[in-house]
Amino acid sequence: MGLNQLKIAVLFPLREKQEALIALCEGHPIEFCWTPYLESSELRTSRGHNMGRNVENLEVPDIPSEYLEQWLDCKGIVSMDLPSNPRELFPNARWFQGVSAGYDHIDAAALTEMQVQQTSARGIASAAITEFVYARLLQEIKHLRKLDDQQENKEWQVKFGNQIQGKTIGIIGLGSIGSEIARKAKAFGMTILASKRNVDDDSAISLVDHLFGSGDVKNMVSLCDVVVMAAPATKETENMFNQELFSSMREGTIFINIARGTHVVEEDLISALNSGHLRAAILDVVRNEPLPIEDPLWDAPNLYLSPHCSVSFDSYEENAVALIADNALRLLSGTKLKNLVKD
């Protein structure tokens, strides 16, 4: 059943693209209220570890009273973060649109109890994240970090890199990001292995040279030169990359994680780097964000760290606004929403 009118609280602070949503209101019974709300990285990480709940009672942003008043009759919510006690704050909510592909920091159970339809931003950053993966991978494969150091030190010394064509890449998770990584790997001439729960998925089979079941990851990584973790956080993937799995990889493997920090036992990763078993590791996510200054990851050899910034905001907002507008119109008309989050 559709809606006669739709008021949407936009908690995510859009930088440039509000005009597109304002224009949408001119021809449809839609009203947007701009009520910025962003939680800290520490709180978002903690929620991600605790099914969206603030069990550590970390500090939350102050919410102005005028925001609280506006939220009461909103049927839609667009946000990076979901404040605690959503039933009290958004008693009339019918739809929650997340603006990140990751959804583990959202209290999905609370929204489900409220019978709120939930949609993620899955896919809007896949191209940008994939470009980041290959930028970092080529940085290591071609020894670009070493060559930059030599330039800074005015050293003219030949340092040849390796060829990516012909290498084998293994991708855990073939969602929107994993699939895009596979497509680009094909363009590079790599052999593509991947693991997925549903090994009978024809669309996934067409992207790779061999598809492994989710229970056969250990066998798959033993065949790879590069291993990329691109799966969402679940109970099954928590601490998946441990000493046993790293030991199963070929000596000289490059490990990449652009998914969630909880996938990795970081002490075991550091050991694999210190021993030289892994050639390098590329992490855009870590277990505790921001990474404490005393954390040993900072000093691990041949580790490429970045602060969860593999997306590119030059296109991210444009893609997010298009998704928001599409789903708002779908909600009005009573048609199925795009990127529905499974309960």
Side-chain angles (χ1 to χ4, degrees), residues 94-230:
R94 300 275 298 276
W95 163 50
F96 177 84
Q97 174 66 64
V99 293
S100 64
Y103 205 78
D104 54 324
H105 64 292
I106 300 298
D107 191 348
L111 293 175
T112 298
E113 289 179 5
M114 296 167 60
Q115 298 184 326
V116 172
Q117 295 190 79
Q118 303 171 56
T119 53
S120 74
R122 183 178 68 251
I124 70 171
S126 298
I129 292 173
T130 297
E131 291 170 0
F132 187 92
V133 165
Y134 285 102
R136 281 299 216 184
L137 178 57
L138 289 169
Q139 186 181 13
E140 169 59 25
I141 288 284
K142 300 299 183 182
H143 301 302
L144 300 185
R145 180 182 276 183
K146 175 65 174 177
L147 293 175
D148 288 340
D149 288 343
Q150 289 181 182
Q151 179 181 346
E152 184 174 349
N153 296 325
K154 299 181 175 63
E155 297 176 4
W156 191 268
Q157 183 176 345
V158 173
K159 183 67 174 178
F160 293 112
N162 306 117
Q163 179 174 290
I164 197 172
Q165 181 176 336
K167 295 288 192 295
T168 298
I169 186 170
I171 306 166
I172 294 90
L174 271 185
S176 58
I177 295 171
S179 295
E180 190 64 24
I181 291 170
R183 293 186 188 97
K184 294 299 190 293
K186 185 168 290 188
F188 275 114
M190 303 181 78
T191 298
I192 308 163
L193 311 181
S195 68
K196 195 176 189 295
R197 287 181 179 177
N198 180 13
V199 294
D200 297 321
D201 185 339
D202 290 338
S203 62
I205 293 171
S206 67
L207 287 174
V208 303
D209 294 292
H210 188 80
L211 187 62
F212 292 77
S214 56
D216 204 15
V217 170
K218 185 176 179 180
N219 182 36
M220 185 191 79
V221 301
S222 70
L223 306 171
C224 299
D225 302 296
V226 181
V227 174
V228 183
M229 181 51 168

Side-chain angles (χ1 to χ4, degrees), residues 59-76:
E59 184 178 0
V60 299
D62 291 329
I63 304 174
S65 57
E66 58 267 28
Y67 288 9
L68 296 173
E69 185 176 349
Q70 290 186 72
W71 288 353
L72 291 175
D73 59 348
C74 286
K75 291 185 171 67

